[in-house]
Amino acid sequence: MRLTIDEYSKQFKMSKEMISSKLKSKKLDYIIEDSITYIMVKENPIDTDIKKEAVTEKKAILKPKTTVATVIALYQRENTQLKEKIMQLELKIDKLIGDKEQMLRDERDKIEQLYSKKDEQLKNILELVNTKMMLEHQGQTIHEVETIEEDKQKNVPEPGIVELKDYLKTLNLKSYQRKVIKRRFLSVYDNDIRVLHKDGKLYLDFSKYDYSDLLSY
């Protein structure tokens, strides 16, 4: 039986290139008639070697060998993808940082505005307190003046009677000397009729008594 190259390729599932190679190496018997190549095939079962070669050829075509260039190209492609992902992550991080900084700036501005308002309120409160204190002080001063005038009117000593404190101021004495004399009068005013005591103050009546013994220093 003879088969054309196309028929042989279909029946034995072999590529035309492989058939041509076998023809050139004279591994197949063939004849040429009218410029057509016929491969001579025995009518017996298909030769095992031919089938194995056909299967091997098919595997070689379907699964090309992995080369170093293929591996390098694969790594380069993966590296490119990783770089793109890293760039995308960096952009996201920069955006997050920018948003965070803007949020912090906004929060700082709010706090500054709040403290500014509080400062104004505090200033107004302090001004009101100071004004109130000044008014109260002025009122207290007026009241004290009126009280002093009333006390003066109430406590006007009788003629010839003078307060010990005022009399000591007229003497040429030092402060500690006046204190010693005052303590002396305080120690005897309960038992000495010469010393007059009124409203917590000591008075002397020079028109009636002599105080040289108590005033001596």
Side-chain angles (χ1 to χ4, degrees), residues 60-180:
I61 294 173
L62 294 176
K63 295 183 179 180
K65 294 182 179 180
T66 302
T67 61
V68 175
T70 304
V71 175
I72 293 174
L74 178 63
Y75 278 116
Q76 287 178 344
R77 184 167 62 254
E78 290 180 351
N79 286 338
T80 302
Q81 293 175 353
L82 288 174
K83 287 179 179 179
E84 291 177 354
K85 291 182 179 179
I86 290 171
M87 289 179 64
Q88 292 176 358
L89 288 174
E90 289 178 347
L91 291 175
K92 289 181 179 179
I93 292 171
D94 292 339
K95 187 177 184 302
L96 289 174
I97 293 173
D99 294 342
K100 185 67 174 179
E101 290 178 349
Q102 184 61 42
M103 184 176 67
L104 291 174
R105 284 193 292 267
D106 294 341
E107 191 68 23
R108 181 197 60 192
D109 294 339
K110 290 180 181 178
I111 293 172
E112 289 179 351
Q113 291 176 2
L114 179 61
Y115 273 101
S116 178
K117 291 180 180 179
K118 292 292 183 183
D119 288 341
E120 290 295 329
Q121 293 176 356
L122 182 60
K123 288 178 181 178
N124 294 333
I125 292 172
L126 290 175
E127 289 178 358
L128 290 174
V129 171
N130 289 333
T131 304
K132 185 176 180 181
M133 290 177 65
M134 289 176 63
L135 293 174
E136 289 179 352
H137 179 70
Q138 290 176 356
Q140 183 178 0
T141 303
I142 294 171
H143 179 69
E144 288 177 353
V145 171
E146 292 176 350
T147 304
I148 292 170
E149 292 296 331
E150 291 176 357
D151 291 340
K152 284 183 179 179
Q153 293 176 2
K154 290 180 181 179
N155 298 323
V156 173
E158 298 176 4
I161 297 176
V162 64
E163 186 183 350
L164 175 62
K165 182 179 179 182
D166 294 336
Y167 179 73
L168 292 176
K169 289 180 179 180
T170 63
L171 301 178
N172 188 18
L173 296 174
K174 294 182 179 179
S175 176
Y176 74 92
Q177 292 175 332
R178 290 195 295 271
K179 290 180 181 179
V180 171

Side-chain angles (χ1 to χ4, degrees), residues 3-25 28 37 39 53-54 57-58 61:
L3 301 172
T4 63
I5 293 176
D6 291 337
E7 292 172 344
Y8 190 89
S9 175
K10 291 178 181 180
Q11 183 171 343
F12 294 98
K13 298 180 180 180
M14 186 180 298
S15 65
K16 294 180 179 180
E17 291 78 5
M18 179 64 70
I19 294 172
S20 298
S21 175
K22 289 183 177 296
L23 291 175
K24 290 179 180 179
S25 61
L28 296 175
T37 301
I39 301 172
E53 289 178 358
E57 173 65 16
K58 183 178 180 182
I61 294 173

